[in-house]
């Protein structure tokens, strides 16, 4: 199938690849989130021609004078209207400079768990604000959740500027209100942009109505946003997923092959580096790094690799290989911010399973320090946690885990809680 043929100012853009960007969109009801996503997809030519024809026909049937781009995300809207469980909708598109994954998260309080899920892998968040309504309770709640899960870059998009006559004074008023609130949350990296998703002003093209705004368009912000794992130097963490021992009688050389396979969660590693295998503490050096059987000199974050070590070491799934100079201390008790995902409340008397990277440990709740009221942002005392509750808690572990604080490493600072009886994921946590 072909894509819609309409011009975009990025047709002749540089082909430099700035890497994958995962970003989250959130906003209150009727802030124009669906129209924003639709406009972004349309103006970057990421809409298939037959899809565009379908929404043009639907718009005409509804008596609309222009194409209703919010129909591109109508599947999620239909779920809302039917009152069924809402999953995060992921949308994919690319420009000449990078690839994108949009996590379209429902913003209502009852879907807090869905927003937390979407935000956990995002590196940038777009929070929509209706220029007529300004900063609302939902705006504050979304900002708190974005801050909580450690999304490093935030864009406040003041939408529907066409309904306030593109007033720069109104934009500055909203900007000042949000900055005063953001300071209380400790949010420092935040950018503001006025736009009209309906008319396309400042999404991909600048338009003519916002000539007083001299900053970049939304797409320019997205294309220049730092890639994941680039904000700070991260320590090398390699959880072992599988030990490769080929059984090939026709190739005697493979008898001594012992490769440790997995994904580099953070940091980088070179052939010859000294490494330690946890929990055993055995030390060795890297003999080879391979991808698909081909040797490479170094490995980086998010690469799936096979490691070969210079020494015979007892290592299996659930172990972690780290640089010897950067080894984390094993812990058997953790304090964390926990989002409870299950309809069944958290039971203090039960034993749960905590899964951290590729390692599991049985765990028992030892304390609930407080529960966060996501609307007032107050910390309240709590004896139990129900679905969508967020709290600061402590767990005692049966097996040691090798963790980093979530603020330093989102990969090794996160975990999920599993109900052993049903094997369902019932909670998600961020280590303090």
């Amino acid at each position: 199938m072909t894509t819609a043929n309409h011009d975009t100012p990025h047709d002749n853009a540089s082909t430099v690849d700035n890497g994958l960007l995962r970003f989250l969109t959130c906003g209150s009801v009727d802030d124009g989130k669906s129209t924003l996503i639709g406009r972004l997809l349309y103006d970057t030519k990421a809409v298939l021609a037959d899809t565009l024809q379908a929404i043009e026909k639907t718009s005409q049937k509804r008596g609309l004078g222009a194409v209703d781009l919010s129909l591109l995300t109508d599947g999620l809207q239909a779920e809302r209207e039917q009152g069924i469980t809402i999953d995060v909708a992921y949308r994919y598109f690319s420009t000449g400079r990078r690839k994108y994954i949009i996590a379209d998260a429902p913003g209502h309080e009852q879907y807090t768990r869905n927003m937390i899920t979407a935000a956990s892998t995002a590196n940038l968040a777009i929070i929509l604000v209706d220029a007529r309504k300004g900063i609302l309770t939902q705006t504050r709640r979304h900002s708190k959740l974005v801050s909580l899960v450690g999304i490093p870059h935030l864009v406040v998009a003041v939408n529907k500027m066409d309904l306030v006559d593109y007033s720069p004074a109104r934009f500055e008023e909203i900007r000042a209100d949000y900055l005063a609130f953001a300071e209380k949350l400790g949010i420092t990296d935040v950018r503001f942009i006025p736009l009209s998703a309906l008319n396309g002003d400042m999404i991909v093209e600048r338009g003519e109505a916002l000539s007083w705004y001299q900053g970049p368009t939304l797409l320019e912000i997205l294309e220049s946003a730092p890639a994941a794992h680039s904000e700070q130097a991260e320590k090398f963490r390699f959880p072992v997923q599988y030990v490769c021992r080929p059984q090939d009688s026709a190739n005697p050389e493979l008898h001594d092959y012992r490769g440790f396979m997995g994904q580099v969660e953070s940091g980088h590693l070179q052939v010859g580096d000294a490494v330690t295998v946890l929990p055993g503490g055995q030390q060795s050096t890297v003999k080879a790094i391979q991808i698909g059987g081909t040797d490479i000199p170094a490995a980086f974050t998010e690469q799936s690799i096979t490691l070969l070590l210079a020494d015979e070491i007892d290592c299996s799934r659930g172990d972690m290989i780290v640089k010897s100079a950067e080894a984390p201390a094993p812990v058997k008790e953790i304090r964390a911010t926990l989002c409870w995902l299950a309809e069944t409340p958290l039971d203090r008397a039960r034993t749960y399973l905590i899964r951290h990277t590729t390692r599991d440990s049985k765990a028992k709740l030892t304390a609930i320090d407080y529960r966060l009221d996501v609307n007032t942002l107050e910390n309240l005392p709590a004896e139990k946690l129900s679905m969508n509750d967020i709290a600061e808690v402590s767990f005692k572990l049966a097996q040691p885990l090798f963790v980093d604080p979530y603020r330093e490493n989102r990969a090794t600072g996160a975990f999920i809680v599993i109900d052993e009886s049903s094997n369902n994921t019932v909670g998600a946590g961020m280590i303090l």
Side-chain angles (χ1 to χ4, degrees), residues 113-271:
R113 60 177 184 171
N114 304 70
M115 183 175 171
I116 290 287
T117 301
S120 64
T121 58
N123 206 54
L124 179 144
I126 300 173
I127 296 182
L128 258 71
V129 175
D130 188 323
R132 299 167 301 171
K133 301 175 183 177
I135 308 303
L136 302 175
T137 297
Q138 281 197 356
T139 312
R140 296 184 175 90
R141 178 164 55 83
H142 295 158
S143 300
K144 176 62 177 179
L145 295 177
V146 163
S147 172
L148 197 66
V149 299
I151 297 180
H153 309 292
L154 180 61
V155 176
V156 176
V158 183
N159 191 26
K160 301 190 179 183
M161 289 295 295
D162 52 305
L163 299 182
V164 294
D165 296 324
Y166 296 98
S167 167
R170 180 56 177 156
F171 173 72
E172 287 300 328
E173 181 183 357
I174 293 172
R175 182 176 179 274
D177 287 348
Y178 190 89
L179 283 174
F181 164 72
E183 186 178 2
K184 298 176 184 177
L185 290 183
I187 296 174
T188 55
D189 189 342
V190 55
R191 304 178 72 169
F192 297 85
I193 179 171
L195 51 85
S196 169
L198 182 65
N199 297 332
D201 299 309
M202 289 299 162
I203 307 293
V204 173
E205 300 176 358
R206 299 192 66 84
E208 299 178 356
L210 290 164
S211 57
W212 50 264
Y213 170 74
Q214 300 301 312
T217 65
L218 180 62
L219 184 62
E220 287 170 343
I221 292 175
L222 296 177
E223 294 208 322
S224 62
H229 306 283
S230 64
E231 289 81 14
Q232 59 186 8
E234 295 179 334
K235 297 174 182 178
F236 179 75
R237 300 290 185 257
F238 182 74
V240 177
Q241 295 184 17
Y242 181 74
V243 180
C244 181
R245 295 295 302 269
Q247 303 296 320
D248 188 352
S249 57
N251 192 345
E253 292 182 1
L254 291 179
H255 285 309
D256 295 328
Y257 186 97
R258 186 178 177 86
F260 304 109
M261 308 178 78
Q263 176 176 284
V264 179
E265 294 292 352
S266 62
H268 69 279
L269 188 74
Q270 294 180 323
V271 173

Side-chain angles (χ1 to χ4, degrees), residues 46-68:
V47 183
L48 296 174
D50 53 353
T51 302
L52 183 60
Q53 290 170 3
I55 67 169
E56 285 174 344
K57 290 180 180 178
T58 303
S59 300
Q60 290 171 2
K61 288 179 180 178
R62 295 182 179 182
L64 301 175
V67 177
D68 184 0

Side-chain angles (χ1 to χ4, degrees), residues 148-149 331 333-338 354-357 391-393 395 397 401-416 428-432:
L148 197 66
V149 299
V331 298
E333 189 168 344
I334 55 174
R335 285 182 61 247
T337 301
L338 180 71
I354 282 184
R355 178 161 296 162
H356 173 261
T357 64
E392 187 171 305
V393 303
F395 283 104
L397 309 173
L401 297 178
F402 322 110
V403 304
D404 296 292
Y406 186 81
R407 66 179 181 276
E408 296 178 8
N409 192 319
R410 293 173 73 187
T412 54
F415 63 89
I416 59 173
M430 296 154 283
I431 295 166
L432 298 172

